[in-house]
Amino acid sequence: KQEVTQIPAALSVPEGENLVLNCSFTDSAIYNLQWFRQDPGKGLTSLLLIQSSQREQTSGRLNASLDKSSGRSTLYIAASQPGDSATYLCAVSPTGANSKLTFGKGITLSVRP
Amino acid sequence: DTEVTQTPKHLVMGMTNKKSLKCEQHMGHRAMYWYKQKAKKPPELMFVYSYEKLSINESVPSRFSPECPNSSLLNLHLHALQPEDSALYLCASSRGVFVGEVDTEAFFGQGTRLTVV
């Protein structure tokens, strides 16, 4: 059974800091990995999708990497801003004829002005 | 347009009521999903529809009844719910669900906050 872990559960940083959010998964037989952002009481916003054949994806100040062999992904946020404060979840989908996402519990990020 | 629209945004219902949640997407996606999210927990998959047919039911109680009238719409019918069913219900869609599909990126709606009293 796939398990996705995100540690720490919460993180507080000063504005402007570059930071890395970690995600690990136990079964390397994944089809893709997706990073989401969730604001309190809201839905999930897709940030980046990394296909299993890719090693990284970039969007603006965000860069996500994937190392399938070690079961790890990182989300790098450059020059953090207070507006980046949210919960960040990673999710993996398995190989096979379904795309059931298995989520980590998320990292709640607070960027202090 | 990468929007998944859910209605209503908030719903309060009694344990004897019948209500429905609605989800709509116009991205041409052929896979649609219902997830349930409790406070401070990750989303949990409930149902998957692939090409308008139910492909996954994660052992969800029968008081939750999904329906996919067409490729753009997904409903979740609710009946005789319990207070512990109170949660954020999220709908999602993706282009495809089968291995070999290039793009299975999931897009989520803003959710329906359900309170059962």
Side-chain angles (χ1 to χ4, degrees):
Chain A
K1 178 185 173 186
Q2 178 73 270
E3 292 185 2
V4 180
T5 302
Q6 293 183 257
I7 296 173
L11 186 62
S12 180
V13 300
E15 181 177 4
E17 188 162 305
N18 301 325
L19 58 102
V20 173
L21 306 181
N22 293 306
C23 171
S24 62
F25 47 94
T26 55
D27 186 350
S28 62
I30 65 169
Y31 193 61
N32 62 43
L33 183 145
Q34 198 166 353
W35 281 93
F36 295 92
R37 168 185 173 141
Q38 187 172 32
D39 293 294
K42 303 293 186 183
L44 277 66
T45 300
S46 178
L47 297 174
L48 288 165
L49 172 80
I50 310 178
Q51 301 282 0
S52 61
S53 59
Q54 299 172 326
R55 293 193 64 83
E56 67 177 280
Q57 284 285 343
T58 298
S59 176
R61 294 183 294 110
L62 305 180
N63 175 278
S65 67
L66 174 64
D67 185 343
K68 272 184 58 177
S69 60
S70 67
R72 293 181 182 179
S73 176
T74 61
L75 178 67
Y76 175 82
I77 302 177
S80 58
Q81 304 169 358
D84 294 329
S85 299
T87 296
Y88 292 82
L89 298 107
C90 70
V92 298
S93 63
T95 55
N98 71 73
S99 64
K100 173 183 174 180
L101 290 174
T102 300
F103 285 86
K105 291 185 177 180
I107 298 173
T108 298
L109 173 65
S110 174
V111 181
R112 308 186 301 272
Chain B
D1 181 10
T2 58
E3 189 170 340
V4 176
T5 304
Q6 291 187 243
T7 56
K9 289 185 169 53
H10 302 275
L11 178 63
V12 179
M13 60 185 291
M15 289 188 285
T16 59
N17 291 158
K18 287 184 180 180
K19 297 286 185 182
S20 296
L21 309 184
K22 296 186 184 301
C23 174
E24 189 169 4
Q25 57 86 17
H26 295 287
M27 295 178 277
H29 288 177
R30 303 310 300 270
M32 296 186 75
Y33 314 79
W34 282 114
Y35 284 83
K36 172 182 177 179
Q37 187 179 27
K38 303 283 278 185
K40 300 192 184 300
K41 299 287 188 183
E44 296 178 349
L45 182 67
M46 300 175 71
F47 302 104
V48 180
Y49 271 83
S50 172
Y51 293 79
E52 297 136 59
K53 295 192 186 308
L54 183 65
S55 62
I56 295 177
N57 177 341
E58 290 287 289
S59 302
V60 178
S62 60
R63 56 186 184 269
F64 296 92
S65 175
E67 177 195 21
C68 189
N70 60 55
S71 60
S72 299
L73 295 174
L74 185 66
N75 299 321
L76 185 63
H77 303 297
L78 313 172
H79 173 55
L81 295 192
Q82 303 297 311
E84 58 264 29
D85 296 321
S86 298
L88 181 68
Y89 287 84
L90 296 164
C91 173
S93 71
S94 65
R95 184 170 300 176
V97 74
F98 298 106
V99 173
E101 293 274 2
V102 173
D103 186 352
T104 58
E105 182 175 5
F107 295 89
F108 282 77
Q110 288 299 298
T112 294
R113 172 70 61 189
L114 174 67
T115 303
V116 182
V117 297

